[in-house]
């Protein structure tokens, strides 16, 4: 046939023009078709084919993704503190992972199992069990991981198992697993090995094996010294009482590297605005905060170690402290030397060695302002305790002058003014201390007391309410609030706050007695009786509570129950005849006349001149028909005559002094009258029912309200007048919340 021509048609199709086909030219183009090299005339491309989700491989991939999501959710819940939710997610991840393994085994070969996913699921589950204190389940899960040879480096998890045994106080197993984990970790991981060695040392300390613990901590201090290991090493040597080793360990502690940069890098070197902005930005960033926390922890370790070993490393405490101070001065913690001197003075105070404390603190008068202010603050507080208010004021002024922004110094200055009666200026200093440090609770408390002294009760109440928001469980604050509401004539609020006080200190007898008093004033006798009984149960020596309870039982006609209270009162105040008379009256009212007669005879032996006792004896002997009636009648007449003569002498003395000096007469008359009737007025403290004692004309029934004539003088002096219905005793805590001596006085 031969080769067809280039443009010839063969079998109904034109042969392409091969020379121009790549450029998009065809023979059809000569027949009038449009130029379309990209094929746009054929329309849009067909859609992509959808991936089928029914394939086994795709199901496995989706299930694997779900397991990973559950592990992440479990970890997030754990970091948020929701341990229960974290455990539930970990268990669900474990269930889905087992389903995934079965599907892989059915579809793929066993070699294609994702071991990393299985390891992650088991490790997370064991961690969540441990976080929920399900230690047995956690140990079983860790055992599954450790025994599986397919997991590489699983032996390191024996550290976690050892930690669980340590929490369970199974110290022998903890040490065993720590050592097994230490064997699994290569020497290249030096930091991890040091941490495990530290745990081994702590476990030995808990078992009391201090020598073995020392070996661990000494190894750490030689390989990679750190503050925690150095402090623990000092504790071990202290427990063994090795003085020389304590000194060497303390030197190792202060020589341990802190691992933070110098503070000079936060100081601007010039006026470059860009550099200044950069320094301001990094001054309070998280890295600088971490550095400050690390430095504060190091100072705490050093201060605690010095206070611990100072009394035992030398012959006396002050020599030992001086050695620690000199050692610190040659270290990188030079600024701690002054703080150690302050602590030395505080230790002298705790040992009641005030002279040495004062001498030590006075050494700081020529130091820098910060240390001088702290020392002067402690001196001011010390003189306040000794009631030397002049010296306290001098050193308070020195402390304020040295550091005007020291809230402790301002508080002590306010305390000095408060004790001198200058309440207005004291309030100003307390306010200034609060402006410098709004969290200074001592200033806020004392400001409330100052307002209370100035009778600005609303302002005082506001101060104590603010303080209550800070110190929710402070019994003193709640007591002050209750007392202020009582002073503002709001007994309902006072009762409410006293009930809160009872929740804080349920055994405070004074608070319970105050509740009983408030309920009594409101007429609620049952509640008053309940709280008075509670107060008596915790403190059975409060005479006001005993008096109220005795009067309550007499009022309710249960005289035999009032006997034990008056017996207690007579035991507390044996020189007061009225309690013994009340006791005899209770016996007589309950029908026990013989016991009442014996009691009256006993009273007569102790107080032979008491007229009321003789009257009851005469009446009882007459009614019973005893022969002693004549003897007691004679004694009664003699006692009454002596009483009349005494009263006449008192009246004549008043008249004589009135003729000689009118002004003096008025003063003397009132004084003598007070002496003669003072003891009798003490009977007015009882309630009306308690006063209703029988007279000589009616020895068996109390039909009149005749008071007891007490013919003696209380050696304890006259007492305050109390209401007749309830014992009145206001509990005012006016004690200062003075600055505590110690590290709190030093600026952070």
């Amino acid at each position: 046939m031969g080769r067809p021509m280039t443009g010839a048609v063969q079998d109904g199709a034109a042969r392409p023009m091969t020379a121009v086909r790549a450029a998009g030219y065809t023979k059809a183009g000569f027949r009038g078709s449009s130029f379309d090299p990209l094929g746009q005339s054929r329309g849009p491309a067909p859609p992509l084919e959808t991936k089928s989700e029914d394939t086994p491989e795709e199901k496995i991939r989706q299930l694997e993704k779900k397991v990973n999501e559950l592990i992440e959710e479990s970890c997030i819940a754990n970091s948020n503190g929701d341990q229960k939710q974290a455990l539930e997610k970990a268990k669900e991840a474990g269930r889905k992972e087992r389903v995934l393994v079965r599907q892989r085994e059915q579809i793929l070969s066993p070699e294609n199992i994702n071991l990393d996913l299985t390891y992650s699921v088991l490790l997370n589950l064991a961690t969540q069990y441990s976080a929920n204190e399900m230690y047995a389940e956690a140990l079983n899960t860790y055992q599954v991981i450790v025994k599986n040879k397919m997991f590489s480096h699983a032996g390191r998890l024996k550290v976690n198992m050892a930690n669980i045994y340590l929490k369970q106080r199974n110290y022998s197993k903890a040490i065993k697993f720590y050592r097994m984990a230490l064997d699994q970790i290569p020497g290249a991981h030096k930091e991890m090995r040091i941490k495990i060695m530290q745990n081994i040392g702590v476990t030995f300390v808990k078992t009391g094996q201090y020598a073995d613990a020392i070996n661990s901590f000494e190894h750490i201090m030689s390989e990679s010294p750190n503050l925690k290991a150095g402090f623990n090493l000092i504790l071990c040597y202290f427990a063994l009482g090795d003085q020389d080793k304590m000194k060497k360990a303390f030197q190792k502690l202060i020589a341990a590297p802190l691992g933070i940069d110098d503070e000079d890098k936060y100081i601007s070197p010039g006026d470059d605005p860009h550099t200044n902005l950069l320094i301001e930005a990094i001054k309070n960033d998280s890295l600088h905060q971490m550095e400050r926390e690390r430095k504060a922890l190091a100072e705490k370790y050093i201060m605690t170690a010095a206070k611990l070993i100072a009394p035992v490393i030398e012959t006396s405490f002050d020599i030992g402290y001086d050695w620690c101070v000199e050692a610190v001065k040659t270290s990188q913690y030079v600024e701690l030397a002054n703080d150690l001197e302050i602590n030395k003075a505080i230790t002298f105070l705790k040992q009641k060695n005030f002279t040495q404390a004062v001498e030590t603190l006075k050494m700081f008068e020529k130091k820098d302002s910060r240390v001088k202010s702290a020392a002067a603050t402690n001196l001011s507080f010390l003189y306040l305790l000794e009631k030397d208010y002049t010296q306290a004021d001098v050193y308070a002024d020195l402390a304020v002058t040295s550091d005007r922004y020291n809230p402790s110094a301002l508080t002590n200055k306010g305390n000095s003014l408060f004790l001198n009666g200058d309440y207005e200026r004291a309030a100003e200093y307390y306010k200034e201390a609060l402006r410098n440090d709004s969290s200074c609770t001592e200033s806020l408390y004392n400001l409330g007391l100052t307002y209370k002294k100035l009778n600005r009760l609303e302002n005082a109440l506001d101060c104590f309410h603010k303080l209550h928001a800070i110190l929710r469980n402070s019994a003193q604050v709640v007591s002050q609030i209750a007392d202020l509401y009582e002073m503002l004539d709001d007994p309902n609020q006072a009762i409410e706050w006293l009930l809160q006080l009872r929740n804080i200190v349920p055994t405070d007898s004074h608070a319970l007695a105050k509740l009983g008093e408030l309920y009594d004033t409101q007429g609620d006798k049952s509640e008053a009786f309940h709280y008075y009984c509670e107060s008596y149960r915790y403190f059975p020596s409060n005479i006001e509570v005993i008096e109220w309870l005795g009067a309550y039982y007499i009022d309710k006609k249960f005289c035999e129950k009032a006997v034990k209270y008056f017996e207690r009162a007579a035991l507390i105040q044996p020189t007061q005849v009225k309690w013994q008379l009340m006791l005899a009256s209770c016996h007589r009212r309950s029908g026990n006349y013989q016991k009442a007669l014996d009691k009256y005879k006993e009273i007569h032996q102790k107080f032979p001149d008491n007229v009321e006792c003789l009257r009851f004896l005469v009446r009882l002997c007459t009614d019973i028909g005893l022969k002693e009636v004549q003897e007691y009648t004679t004694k009664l007449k003699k006692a009454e005559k002596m009483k009349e003569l005494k009263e006449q002498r008192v009246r004549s003395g008043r008249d004589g002094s009135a003729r000689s000096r009118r002004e003096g007469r008025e003063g003397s008359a009132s004084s003598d009258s007070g002496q003669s009737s003072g003891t009798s007025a003490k009977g007015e403290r009882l309630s009306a029912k308690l006063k209703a004692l029988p007279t000589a004309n009616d020895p068996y029934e109390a039909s009149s309200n005749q008071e007891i004539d007490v013919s003696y003088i209380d050696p304890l002096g006259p007492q305050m007048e109390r209401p007749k219905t309830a014992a009145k005793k206001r509990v005012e805590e006016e004690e200062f919340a003075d600055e505590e001596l110690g590290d709190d006085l030093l600026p952070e």
Side-chain angles (χ1 to χ4, degrees), residues 611-629:
V611 176
E612 290 300 320
C613 178
L614 288 170
R615 287 176 182 170
F616 287 125
L617 281 171
V618 169
R619 192 61 183 171
L620 280 173
C621 291
T622 303
D623 293 340
I624 298 176
L626 299 178
K627 297 179 180 180
E628 294 94 334
V629 62

Side-chain angles (χ1 to χ4, degrees), residues 522-591:
Q522 290 189 328
D524 193 345
K525 294 288 185 181
S526 60
E527 286 293 327
F529 174 72
H530 169 70
Y531 286 109
Y532 273 123
C533 284
E534 287 293 297
S535 176
Y536 177 79
R537 184 163 68 93
Y538 290 116
F539 183 54
S541 299
N542 190 334
I543 200 67
E544 287 81 7
V545 173
I546 295 172
E547 185 177 2
W548 191 94
L549 289 171
Y552 175 83
Y553 279 118
I554 288 179
D555 186 32
K556 297 297 183 181
K557 308 298 183 183
F558 295 111
C559 299
E560 63 278 0
K561 291 186 176 182
V563 168
K564 72 171 185 177
Y565 296 105
F566 292 128
E567 285 178 346
R568 171 73 65 172
L571 185 64
I572 296 171
Q573 296 181 344
T575 59
Q576 292 200 17
V577 68
K578 68 175 182 179
W579 305 121
Q580 316 225 11
L581 289 173
M582 307 261 184
L583 184 57
S585 177
C586 289
H587 287 312
R588 182 181 48 75
R589 290 186 178 203
S590 58

Side-chain angles (χ1 to χ4, degrees), residues 62 165 192 212 246 417 482 486 525 538 581 630 637 683:
Q62 292 296 327
Y165 284 125
M192 177 63 72
D212 294 329
M246 274 188 271
L417 293 170
E486 185 184 2
K525 294 288 185 181
Y538 290 116
L581 289 173
Q630 188 62 37
K637 291 179 180 179

Side-chain angles (χ1 to χ4, degrees), residues 86 105 139 197 274 506 514 532 604 698:
E105 290 176 348
L139 288 171
M197 286 291 294
H274 178 72
K514 177 62 69 176
Y532 273 123
H604 177 63
D698 186 8

